[in-house]
Amino acid sequence: MRINSLRLQLLAWVVLPLAGLATINLWTSQRNALATADLVTDRMLVGSARAIAEQVAMVDGVLDATVPPAAIEMFDTGDRDSVYYRVETAAGRLLTGYPDLPEAPRHASVEAPYRDHQLRLLTLGHAVIGAGGDSPITVTVGVTLAGHDAMVKRLWFSAFAQQLALVVIAGVFVLLGLRRGLAPLIRLRDAVRSPNRSDLDPVEVPGAQSEIRPLIDALNAYMERVRAQMAAQRRFIANAAHQLRTPLALLSTQASYALRESAADARHEALVALQASSGKLARLAEQLLTLSRAEPGSRRPRADRIDLTEAARHVLETQAPAAIVRNIDLGLEEAGPVPVTGDGTMLREMIVNLVDNALRYSPVGGRVTVSLAALDGEAVLTVADNGPGIPADEREHVFERFYRVAGSSEQGSGLGLAIVREVVENAGGHVTLGDGAAGGLVVEVRLPLA
């Protein structure tokens, strides 16, 4: 199951490895507890066997083995262990104890079953002065494992409690640290969601850590871009409404005039004017729609591979009738395919706007030339005309929406070059304006080659 909480994810990344280390530590603690219990039990067995061996002596020429009570009582730890022992001479004669008690290797402990119990056994050799051939004697002591196992459990449970407390305390401190560390994020969330925010002012989060500061800066930069886009949209809507109001009023006036006229010639003239105004209004609406589609984020990004040469040839074929009406020499200069990658529809619309602008502002009998070439890894599209051109101080402004050069006699919408810049920049290129060799305007578009 995927954890969507950052706090729980960070807690898991800290506590789970710590719990894994604690598990490994518990395993080693269990091994250490077992080794400790073995060592303590073996020391007790050695002490008991030595206490018994030291009490064996020659009494009136007879080897006497007396088991002192301390040798047995040292195993009285409250776990009700049973103690077994055996003392025998070097020849194997039993002096005292349990004759069937298993024998362990000298000075080494072993575990063996005896009378339905598991015993830990140890055998000790001891020389007795004056015992002759009966010396050295061997003393074997065995004890059940109840106390041994109880010691292992006590040591292991103590280590377990310590490790568990360590993990719990670490988890608590991690939670407290996360609560304090994530507080700026919570304040950022509250600041963004605050009902008092009616605009897109920058968000300030006092005390934000250096890791969170880039997020806040990125959010503020994003809101700045959104604010700029919203302002541009508001200006666009206001300008569009202003631009549409005049042609619509003109259409209404012309229609009213045509209705009032009874003379056929006057009515025909009014209807022709009405048709021309309708065409201009349709062109304006079409350009508004094109500009809306050209804006970033308005369409799904496309990566069509198109040939600019073929696209330009098709555009010139569609624009040829308008050029013929005004006796304009519309030509294409190209040296082969010029492939680019981008939104094919919008790139063709860019060429349409460039050629349409050139035809509109070229004089009757003028010249418009479209050139295409591939230079230094770039596709270069040039549209040159011999019209009035654009003053150098206004060339940056003509890319603004609805901007028209002062004193221009051509009735345009002021959207053509704005559309061109949007399309070109979305395709990763740039557009520049310049003067022609014989006057007029030269528009140069550079795009990355496919």
Side-chain angles (χ1 to χ4, degrees), residues 46-371:
V46 169
S48 177
R50 182 169 287 115
I52 294 174
E54 289 176 352
Q55 294 298 318
V56 177
M58 296 295 296
V59 179
D60 299 330
V62 178
L63 193 61
D64 179 63
T66 303
V67 177
I72 306 301
E73 292 173 354
M74 68 174 58
F75 294 99
D76 186 12
T77 59
D79 297 299
R80 298 183 180 276
D81 275 317
S82 299
V83 182
Y84 303 92
Y85 56 88
R86 186 182 68 191
V87 181
E88 60 183 15
T89 64
R93 179 169 61 87
L94 180 68
L95 296 179
T96 185
Y98 300 84
D100 57 345
L101 184 68
E103 184 175 352
R106 294 292 182 93
H107 304 288
S109 61
V110 296
E111 291 186 6
Y114 180 69
R115 294 187 180 184
D116 300 328
H117 296 291
Q118 191 75 8
L119 301 183
R120 191 168 185 85
L121 300 156
L122 185 138
T123 299
L124 180 69
H126 183 73
V128 179
I129 298 175
D134 290 333
S135 181
I137 63 170
T138 58
V139 180
T140 300
V141 181
V143 64
T144 56
L145 299 178
H148 174 276
D149 294 343
M151 184 184 303
V152 172
K153 290 179 181 179
R154 284 193 296 270
L155 292 173
W156 187 81
F157 276 119
S158 175
F160 175 79
Q162 293 175 1
Q163 298 298 323
L164 181 61
L166 176 64
V167 172
V168 172
I169 293 173
V172 171
F173 276 102
V174 169
L175 281 176
L176 293 175
L178 288 176
R179 182 176 181 181
R180 183 177 180 85
L182 295 178
L185 280 178
I186 303 301
R187 292 199 297 270
L188 175 60
R189 179 202 65 185
D190 294 340
V192 172
R193 296 172 56 183
S194 173
N196 297 326
R197 289 182 58 84
S198 58
D199 49 20
L200 294 173
D201 291 335
V203 177
E204 291 296 335
V205 181
Q209 298 92 335
S210 58
E211 292 81 3
I212 300 177
R213 179 56 57 184
L215 172 62
I216 299 174
D217 295 339
L219 180 61
N220 288 334
Y222 174 75
M223 289 194 296
E224 177 64 28
R225 291 196 302 270
V226 172
R227 188 162 58 247
Q229 291 178 357
M230 291 177 63
Q233 290 290 340
R234 285 193 294 267
R235 290 195 303 269
F236 175 76
I237 293 173
N239 291 332
H242 175 73
Q243 293 292 327
L244 289 172
R245 185 182 299 116
T246 300
L248 288 173
L250 180 60
L251 284 176
S252 178
T253 302
Q254 291 172 334
S256 299
Y257 178 77
L259 288 174
R260 290 196 304 269
E261 284 295 330
S262 57
D265 292 342
R267 178 177 296 178
H268 179 267
E269 183 180 353
L271 290 176
V272 170
L274 181 61
Q275 184 182 33
S277 298
S278 299
K280 292 179 181 179
L281 182 60
R283 174 61 179 168
L284 175 60
E286 181 182 351
Q287 286 198 306
L288 287 172
L289 181 59
T290 301
L291 182 60
S292 176
R293 291 200 304 264
E295 290 180 338
S298 61
R299 287 162 59 93
R300 180 176 297 178
R302 295 174 57 180
D304 305 326
R305 182 185 176 92
I306 70 166
D307 180 9
L308 280 184
T309 302
E310 183 62 29
R313 185 178 295 114
H314 178 72
V315 170
L316 264 61
E317 289 175 357
T318 59
Q319 295 288 335
I324 293 173
V325 169
R326 300 185 60 197
N327 193 27
I328 294 177
D329 180 13
L330 180 60
L332 175 65
E333 296 178 355
E334 49 90 7
V338 180
V340 296
T341 302
D343 191 321
T345 301
M346 300 310 299
L347 288 172
R348 294 184 186 94
E349 191 65 30
M350 170 200 71
I351 301 175
V352 169
N353 278 275
L354 288 175
V355 175
D356 181 73
N357 271 2
L359 291 175
R360 284 175 179 272
Y361 290 95
S362 293
V364 175
R367 183 180 65 257
V368 174
T369 304
V370 179
S371 304

